[in-house]
Amino acid sequence: MAKLQIFRQFDNAPGRNAAPGAGTPVDRSTDKVNLLDFDRAALAAWFAARGEKPFRATQLLKWIHQQGVDDFSAMTNFSKALREELAAVAEIRGPTVAADQLSSDGSRKWLFELADGNRIESVYIPEPGRATLCISSQVGCALNCSFCSTARQGFNRNLSTAEIIGQLWMVNRLLARSGDAPVSNVVFMGMGEPLLNFDNVMAAVSLMQDDFAYALSKRRVTISTAGVVPALQRLAEATDVSLALSLHAPDDALRTRLVPLNQKYPINEVLHACREYVGEGRRRVTIEYVMLEGVNDSDQQARALARLLRQVPSKVNLIPFNPFPQTLYRRSSAERIDSFRDILHNSGIVTITRKTRGDDIDAACGQLAGDFTDRTRRRKRFEVEVTGGAA
Ligand code: SAH
C-alpha cells in the first residue's frame, strides 16, 4: 500500500539561498546570550546581575515560552529602554527547520538545524486527548546500542539547554501557526542519552515544569535512559519526572550484547537505582523492551523478565523493533509479541505493546538519525564492517 509522504525542504535561515548538505555545516552562532538557555533561576540571576528586579524573569519566561515571542519589541510590559537593552545583548533563538515530514498516521518529524550546522530530529505524535513530543538530548549518541539507528550515526556533542528546550519552543510555535493544540507530553526518547547530558537536560526539564513556562506535570515529562546508575542517583535529588528504563533483555549476557553500557552498570544495579528513584510511593518505572525476533522474545525470556521485575514497581512497554537500513535484526511477529505480553500480564505486570508510529518517515523509536559529523568514527567503522571495506 502506498503511504502518503509529504517532504518539504525549508530555507528559513537568514542570509543564504540553499540549506547546506551533509558535511558542510555552516556556523551561524553569535556573541549574544541566548535566553532559551536559562531556566527561571538562571534568568533571575542574569537580570539581578544587570540591576533588574527578579520578577522580570517570570515576565520574560511567559513571553518566551507561553507566547512564543522571539522579538523583544513585542514585550509590552517592559519599558522601551529595557527592550532595547535586551535586544542589544540577548537573543531568543531556537533551531531552524531544515525539513518537515508528515506521516500517514498524523505524526510529524522535524529535522532541526542548530547554529553550528549540526542537525537533530524531533517527533510529534498526536493522539486523542494528548500530543507527545519526542525530543533529542544529544547530537547523536555515544552508547552504541546494537539495534538503534542513532547509534550507527555516532556521536558529536551534547545539546545545550537552549537546543533542548528549543525543540519544544519551536514545535509549539509551529503548531500554533497551524491552529493545532500545543504539546501536552514530552518524552526524552529521541537522539542521545539524556542522563549523559545531565545539567542541560535538568535545566530544560525545569522549564518544562515551570508554571511560567510550559507547566507540564511530572507525569507528562518522561526521561528515558539506558541506565546510567550514578546519574539515576542524582536524578532523584534534581527532579520527580517520570522515568523509563531501556531494559531489552532479562539477563546480563544478552543485555550487554544489546546495550553495551550494561557492562558498566549491570541489570541488578540499574533496577536498584530505578527502585530508589521511584521510592515507596505508587509510582512505577516504565520498562522499555524492544521485541527482536529470535533474540529476546521467547516465552522463557518473558518469564525471566517477570521474575526480574518483582524487585521494582514497573509497567512494561513492548516496542516492536523498527528496522533501518543494514540492520541484521527483525521485528518479532505479532503473535510472538502477544504471547510475551500475556506471560507478563499473567504475572501481574501491566504490559502494553507500543503502537508503531511514523515508521513511513523513519520517525519511529530508534530510527532517528539527524545529520552531523561523527566524532567517534563509528559510522566509518560500521560501513567497513558491512561492506568488508569495499565501499
Ligand atoms: N538513550 C535513551 C533514549 C533514546 S532511545 C534510552 O536508551 O532510553 C528511546 C527508546 O527507543 C529506547 O527504549 C530505545 O531502546 C528504543 N529503540 C532504539 N532503537 C530502536 C529500534 N530500532 N526499534 C524500536 N525501539 C528502539
Side-chain angles (χ1 to χ4, degrees):
M1 187 181 69
K3 287 181 175 170
L4 170 73
Q5 180 165 325
I6 297 173
F7 188 91
R8 279 178 286 155
Q9 194 75 37
F10 280 72
D11 178 31
N12 56 358
R16 62 193 172 84
N17 296 321
T24 55
V26 172
D27 195 333
R28 282 177 282 109
S29 36
T30 69
D31 291 337
K32 290 187 176 179
V33 173
N34 189 353
L35 296 179
L36 286 177
D37 254 321
F38 293 156
D39 63 8
R40 195 197 315 180
L43 203 52
W46 186 76
F47 269 120
R50 307 188 65 80
E52 285 291 336
K53 294 274 187 318
F55 70 84
R56 295 285 180 216
T58 51
Q59 288 179 320
L60 194 65
L61 282 183
K62 282 181 162 179
W63 281 118
I64 298 175
H65 297 288
Q66 296 188 347
Q67 305 296 326
V69 163
D70 62 356
D71 176 2
F72 295 105
S73 64
M75 300 180 181
T76 45
N77 53 356
F78 289 177
S79 70
K80 189 152 181 283
L82 179 57
R83 282 183 253 158
E84 282 170 4
E85 185 194 324
L86 289 175
V89 296
E91 61 183 354
I92 299 157
R93 184 141 73 116
T96 57
V97 179
D100 172 359
Q101 286 172 279
L102 179 64
S103 164
S104 54
D105 66 21
S107 53
R108 275 172 91 168
K109 180 171 80 169
W110 283 279
L111 180 66
F112 284 128
E113 186 165 316
L114 310 173
D116 68 358
N118 278 313
R119 292 168 168 199
I120 55 160
E121 295 184 325
S122 314
V123 181
Y124 169 76
I125 308 145
E127 286 168 287
R130 72 156 109 184
T132 303
L133 186 67
C134 175
I135 63 172
S136 296
S137 56
Q138 298 181 308
V139 182
C141 189
L143 290 186
N144 208 11
C145 297
S146 64
F147 52 86
C148 179
S149 160
T150 303
R152 294 275 180 259
Q153 299 288 306
F155 176 71
N156 185 284
R157 63 174 176 83
N158 277 336
L159 292 182
S160 66
T161 300
E163 290 166 336
I164 299 169
I165 204 68
Q167 297 166 65
L168 175 57
W169 179 79
M170 192 64 190
V171 166
N172 271 349
R173 278 163 51 111
L174 295 167
L175 292 172
R177 221 179 279 170
S178 54
D180 292 304
V183 170
S184 67
N185 294 60
V186 175
V187 294
F188 281 86
M189 295 182 188
M191 298 163 66
E193 167 51 48
L195 294 190
L196 291 179
N197 184 13
F198 195 87
D199 294 340
N200 295 344
V201 165
M202 283 307 114
V205 164
S206 132
L207 283 167
M208 288 168 195
Q209 297 197 274
D210 197 312
D211 284 343
F212 293 99
Y214 300 91
L216 301 180
S217 76
K218 61 187 179 187
R219 282 173 214 293
R220 292 178 178 272
V221 178
T222 302
I223 292 185
S224 176
T225 179
V228 187
V229 168
L232 272 168
Q233 288 159 350
R234 281 177 73 198
L235 193 66
E237 286 147 39
T239 186
D240 59 357
V241 294
S242 304
L243 180 66
L245 172 69
S246 293
L247 188 61
H248 308 311
D251 65 87
D252 280 318
L254 178 58
R255 187 163 194 264
T256 297
R257 247 174 66 205
L258 301 178
V259 182
L261 183 70
N262 192 69
Q263 212 152 17
K264 203 162 178 188
Y265 305 119
I267 292 176
N268 279 332
E269 284 180 33
V270 173
L271 288 181
H272 178 78
C274 288
R275 192 181 54 218
E276 295 285 300
Y277 181 79
V278 292
E280 298 300 315
R282 294 212 326 252
R283 301 189 69 197
R284 292 157 193 260
V285 182
T286 300
I287 301 292
E288 296 169 280
Y289 196 100
V290 61
M291 295 300 287
L292 304 167
E293 184 179 80
V295 175
N296 65 353
D297 63 350
S298 71
D299 287 352
Q300 196 191 347
Q301 284 161 320
R303 286 190 286 271
L305 180 61
R307 279 195 299 278
L308 196 61
L309 294 182
R310 282 191 207 134
Q311 49 176 305
V312 53
S314 48
K315 57 183 180 219
V316 174
N317 269 9
L318 299 177
I319 315 174
F321 171 65
N322 294 307
F324 49 89
Q326 295 172 330
T327 180
L328 300 175
Y329 293 113
R330 281 189 307 263
R331 178 184 293 181
S332 309
S333 68
E335 299 73 42
R336 186 88 301 277
I337 296 176
D338 286 351
S339 167
F340 199 93
R341 182 202 56 205
D342 290 346
I343 291 170
L344 292 170
H345 193 79
N346 292 337
S347 314
I349 299 169
V350 175
T351 306
I352 61 152
T353 304
R354 198 179 279 175
K355 253 205 315 219
T356 296
R357 300 284 306 259
D359 54 342
D360 54 336
I361 55 167
D362 289 344
C365 304
Q367 292 184 318
L368 301 191
D371 184 356
F372 55 89
T373 314
D374 174 20
R375 289 186 195 273
T376 63
R377 306 230 200 113
R378 194 189 304 141
R379 206 180 303 171
K380 188 84 214 141
R381 279 201 303 278
F382 179 68
E383 275 162 21
V384 172
E385 268 169 41
V386 296
T387 61

